[in-house]
Amino acid sequence: MSQPLLEVNRLKKHFPIKGGFFQKTVGRVHAVDGVSFRLETGETIGLVGESGCGKSTTGRLILRLIKPTSGEVRFNGQDLSRLDRRRMKAVRRDMQLIFQDPFASLNPRLTVGGIVGEAFKIHGVASGTELEDRTAALLKRVGLHADHLRRYPHEFSGGQRQRIGIARALALNPKLIIADEPVSALDVSIQAQVINLLQDLKHEFQLSYIIIAHDLSVVEYMSDRVAVMYLGKMVEMAPGAELYRQPKHPYTEALLSAIPIPNPRLEKKRRILQGDVPSPINPPSGCRFHTRCIYRKPECQRFEPEFADTGGGHYAACPVRAGGRFMETPDGGSA
């Protein structure tokens, strides 16, 4: 098996909660709790789930924008946790982020040329006339004009601002781009344009993507594989067409049932989840979804399900619906 571009192993991030006069740690938010997956060169993985499930935190952990509590992120075979600041700076040229909010992510005091060209300056790639020429070429490639170089972010529409963010991410010819809700803040008509632009850029520059999104239709269109997260854990992962056709985890079934049908004459059977999402400060024992699952059994409350391959690269963490088994208990027993 060839070496993947990105390998994430048992990645965790627990944010401490401080309280009291001495600001002692009184609890922890289990934002990401044991996520593992591989991303091949040229592949797109869609990462979906409800708000607060840990999708965006996972993306920032991969880029080492925040430090993980434990686990490993390997990029091109390098363990990022072992790199010092100088070597990490070199790796950052190959890993870029597209932000959700195309206005808040752009510095209002810089011109578009300053925003997009900043990466060239920081990494010593270009300066002077060459920097301006390369920046103008990037703007043209994402559908803007060279004369936009001297304008400021507030002079552009939301879709144009997101194109500026995409140009900035492309500046250093990265291998991996993590797009955190790249179209959720845009009008529907503009969303399609930006999605098609990202698809074209993927093939032109041989990019790999991790697309973080709520919109399952966007993820279906863009992704080779789709991963579903719930309360800090990955509960299902499969090739896109396979997951949408035959989901094996009850949570995925509920998410897919919420996708609207573009035909008013057809009525879709919705699977409404009961109850609220449990607190990540004190997540449920066993399977974290058992408090809202209609298929739960007594074992689901006591033992954690194994995230296992159910065949054909389709992974799921539900022994009741997808087969597999529950993980061993600390004393060596098993369910």
Side-chain angles (χ1 to χ4, degrees):
M1 183 179 293
S2 61
Q3 176 181 285
L5 177 68
L6 177 72
E7 192 170 6
V8 178
N9 297 314
R10 304 294 299 169
L11 192 62
K12 294 185 180 183
K13 180 59 180 180
H14 298 168
F15 292 99
I17 301 172
K18 303 291 185 178
F21 182 79
F22 295 103
Q23 288 295 292
K24 293 183 177 179
T25 299
V26 296
R28 293 185 181 275
V29 177
H30 296 71
V32 177
D33 218 0
V35 167
S36 300
F37 65 92
R38 294 159 58 100
L39 176 72
E40 304 296 335
T41 301
E43 184 182 24
T44 298
I45 288 180
L47 196 56
V48 302
E50 292 172 288
S51 295
C53 70
K55 307 184 301 297
S56 295
T57 303
T58 299
R60 282 158 173 74
L61 288 170
I62 290 170
L63 295 172
R64 220 177 99 173
L65 298 179
I66 52 178
K67 186 178 179 181
T69 301
S70 64
E72 181 183 63
V73 176
R74 301 186 73 86
F75 182 77
N76 264 342
Q78 297 185 86
D79 183 354
L80 299 187
S81 66
R82 298 180 180 275
L83 301 183
D84 58 24
R85 187 173 181 177
R86 179 183 60 82
R87 289 191 294 168
M88 190 63 209
K89 180 181 176 181
V91 173
R92 289 195 191 283
R93 295 182 57 167
D94 293 329
M95 307 169 70
Q96 293 294 317
L97 176 64
I98 297 174
F99 295 89
Q100 177 179 358
D101 190 334
F103 187 72
S105 62
L106 302 178
N107 189 335
R109 297 185 178 184
L110 292 180
T111 62
V112 169
I115 291 169
V116 178
E118 190 173 23
F120 293 130
K121 294 180 180 178
I122 291 173
H123 290 271
V125 175
S127 60
T129 304
E130 183 188 0
L131 186 151
E132 186 168 324
D133 291 343
R134 293 181 67 165
T135 303
L138 271 175
L139 292 180
K140 289 179 181 179
R141 182 59 195 86
V142 298
L144 298 173
H145 301 288
D147 59 6
H148 289 159
L149 279 171
R150 291 167 182 82
R151 296 187 186 180
Y152 290 86
H154 72 271
E155 300 180 68
F156 296 88
S157 67
Q160 289 175 319
R161 287 196 291 260
Q162 193 61 296
R163 290 173 186 269
I164 295 168
I166 293 171
R168 177 176 59 184
L170 286 173
L172 297 173
N173 295 316
K175 297 176 181 177
L176 169 65
I177 289 181
I178 297 179
D180 189 359
E181 301 277 4
V183 298
S184 65
L186 308 178
D187 294 336
V188 174
S189 59
I190 305 301
Q191 287 183 11
Q193 297 175 20
V194 173
I195 289 169
N196 288 331
L197 172 63
L198 290 172
Q199 289 290 77
D200 292 341
L201 294 173
K202 174 186 176 181
H203 298 299
E204 181 176 343
F205 295 99
Q206 282 77 54
L207 297 169
S208 300
Y209 285 142
I210 295 178
I211 306 292
I212 299 169
H214 287 96
D215 191 330
L216 294 170
S217 300
V218 170
V219 172
E220 181 181 19
Y221 178 73
M222 296 189 68
S223 303
D224 301 305
R225 286 189 294 154
V226 178
V228 183
M229 286 188 68
Y230 181 79
L231 210 61
K233 287 188 173 290
M234 199 170 282
V235 297
E236 188 164 5
M237 187 174 196
E242 168 71 14
L243 184 133
Y244 281 77
R245 185 179 70 252
Q246 192 174 8
K248 295 188 176 182
H249 196 281
Y251 179 61
T252 310
E253 292 177 359
L255 287 181
L256 296 180
S257 76
I259 300 176
I261 299 175
N263 186 340
R265 293 188 176 89
L266 295 179
E267 184 176 350
K268 188 172 186 179
K269 184 179 180 181
R270 290 285 309 276
R271 178 161 295 171
I272 307 297
L273 294 177
Q274 303 299 316
D276 297 323
V277 180
S279 170
I281 299 173
N282 186 26
S285 60
C287 174
R288 294 192 174 179
F289 187 64
H290 82 261
T291 59
R292 307 171 75 191
C293 182
I294 61 175
Y295 305 110
R296 63 179 177 269
K297 294 185 175 181
E299 296 92 334
C300 299
Q301 185 174 351
R302 297 164 51 209
F303 303 101
E304 185 177 344
E306 182 181 41
F307 188 67
D309 190 349
T310 63
H314 193 146
Y315 290 80
C318 183
V320 177
R321 294 282 289 166
R325 64 187 183 89
F326 290 98
M327 295 175 67
E328 294 183 350
T329 59
D331 63 0
S334 62

